[in-house]
Amino acid sequence: MNWGPYVLVFVAGLIAAFGTSLGAVPLFWVDDIGDKLDVGLWGFAGGLMASASVFGLLFEAYKKNSGWLLVGAGIACGILLVIFAHYVVDHYGPDFQPEDIAQGDFQTILNILLVLFVHSFPEGLAIGVSFAELNHTGGIHILGFTVPIVAIAITGSLAIHNFPEGLATAIPINDVDSIGNGRMWGAAFFTSLPQPIGAVIAFYFVRLAQQFLGFGYGFAAGSMLYLVIGDVLPEGLEAGESLSNPTWYLSAGVIVGFVVFIPLVFVL
């Protein structure tokens, strides 16, 4: 078995997860990030993810002449997976605080990881599906692989989405004097660790069953779009509670993020 493609997909998942840890880095030097910038980042990430879902994943399904029933079923299943993930986090994870990750013992960290696995898993699946056309024509040559443009776009958009998520994780940890920058950075990275695992699993199954590729594209697009609606935008509004008009900054970020991806359509 050739493990090279799976290692590549795993690394892509790690790159996206690494975006979460980068969200903690600004707090090494400042105690807080301006609410306007924070809300704008959430909006930018949401717009980028929505645009990547529509012009990347769903456009790929269209190019492959995937049946609309297959793609629609994938979208529905992707949405249901994220709803299930929200249910698990809401019922089993409300007692966990970000500082628990940095201070907790092995059992505490393991319990948190199980909850976070369900939370981050759909994002990893989207990355794995986007690599389905690996080593086909029309991609970019990287380290001996022909990587699909859509895979680079999805990985990048999720890494950007993870930045404000990591920032939100790191802010309460930064308020605890006994926790240093290294542990704060590690805790932020820890929250997205399941993503590379989900990426490899999804990549394996879409390569195994190419006839269901349309379902896979729909599944990834549905999960990402619902993440935008159910996670990213509400988080952005919550981050701007102190602002008089947070929706303005959130909307501006969404528009910029959505438009930024459009030029890639001509490459795809």
Side-chain angles (χ1 to χ4, degrees), residues 110-135:
L110 182 61
N111 292 338
I112 296 173
L113 180 61
L114 292 175
V115 174
L116 292 175
F117 188 91
V118 179
H119 172 71
S120 296
F121 197 63
E123 299 169 19
L125 294 180
I127 294 172
V129 169
S130 70
F131 274 87
E133 297 292 312
L134 182 69
N135 288 333

Side-chain angles (χ1 to χ4, degrees), residues 178-227:
S178 61
I179 300 178
N181 289 339
R183 297 182 75 181
M184 178 176 66
W185 182 93
F189 178 72
F190 179 85
T191 61
S192 292
L193 201 56
Q195 289 181 14
I197 301 172
V200 172
I201 292 174
F203 177 69
Y204 172 77
F205 281 106
V206 294
R207 296 272 283 195
L208 193 66
Q210 284 287 319
Q211 66 268 32
F212 295 111
L213 190 55
F215 177 89
Y217 282 131
F219 184 94
S223 62
M224 283 184 61
L225 287 171
Y226 195 81
L227 277 169

Side-chain angles (χ1 to χ4, degrees), residues 20-264:
T20 312
S21 65
L22 289 180
V25 172
L27 298 180
F28 290 3
W29 298 282
V30 298
D31 292 331
D32 201 1
I33 299 294
D35 289 342
K36 294 178 182 179
L37 176 60
D38 196 8
V39 174
L41 285 173
W42 280 108
F44 179 78
L48 199 62
M49 289 172 64
S51 190
S53 298
V54 175
F55 297 118
L57 294 166
L58 294 181
F59 187 58
E60 281 294 316
Y62 169 76
K63 288 200 304 183
K64 303 300 179 190
N65 294 318
S66 302
W68 66 270
L69 280 176
L70 193 63
V71 177
I75 292 173
C77 289
I79 292 172
L80 289 174
L81 177 65
V82 178
I83 292 174
F84 173 73
H86 283 173
Y87 171 82
V88 171
V89 173
D90 290 342
H91 284 75
Y92 299 100
D95 294 332
F96 296 140
Q97 301 299 323
E99 53 266 32
D100 294 336
I101 303 173
Q103 292 180 317
D105 55 21
F106 176 78
Q107 186 60 50
T108 301
I109 291 175
L110 182 61
N111 292 338
I112 296 173
L113 180 61
L114 292 175
V115 174
L116 292 175
F117 188 91
V118 179
H119 172 71
S120 296
F121 197 63
E123 299 169 19
L125 294 180
I127 294 172
V129 169
S130 70
F131 274 87
E133 297 292 312
L134 182 69
N135 288 333
H136 289 212
T137 57
I140 295 177
H141 298 287
I142 300 176
L143 300 175
F145 297 96
T146 304
V147 180
I149 299 293
V150 67
I152 297 173
I154 296 298
T155 302
S157 65
L158 285 173
I160 292 171
H161 151 261
N162 284 339
F163 184 89
E165 193 169 89
L167 183 63
T169 300
I171 286 174
I173 298 176
N174 190 49
D175 293 335
V176 181
D177 294 334
S178 61
I179 300 178
N181 289 339
R183 297 182 75 181
M184 178 176 66
W185 182 93
F189 178 72
F190 179 85
T191 61
S192 292
L193 201 56
Q195 289 181 14
I197 301 172
V200 172
I201 292 174
F203 177 69
Y204 172 77
F205 281 106
V206 294
R207 296 272 283 195
L208 193 66
Q210 284 287 319
Q211 66 268 32
F212 295 111
L213 190 55
F215 177 89
Y217 282 131
F219 184 94
S223 62
M224 283 184 61
L225 287 171
Y226 195 81
L227 277 169
V228 171
I229 297 170
D231 274 350
V232 178
L233 299 185
E235 286 282 356
L237 290 175
E238 185 178 340
E241 285 180 336
S242 63
L243 300 175
S244 59
N245 190 13
T247 54
W248 191 93
Y249 299 98
L250 187 69
S251 300
V254 169
I255 293 171
V256 172
F258 196 87
V259 171
V260 161
F261 189 88
I262 293 178
L264 287 176

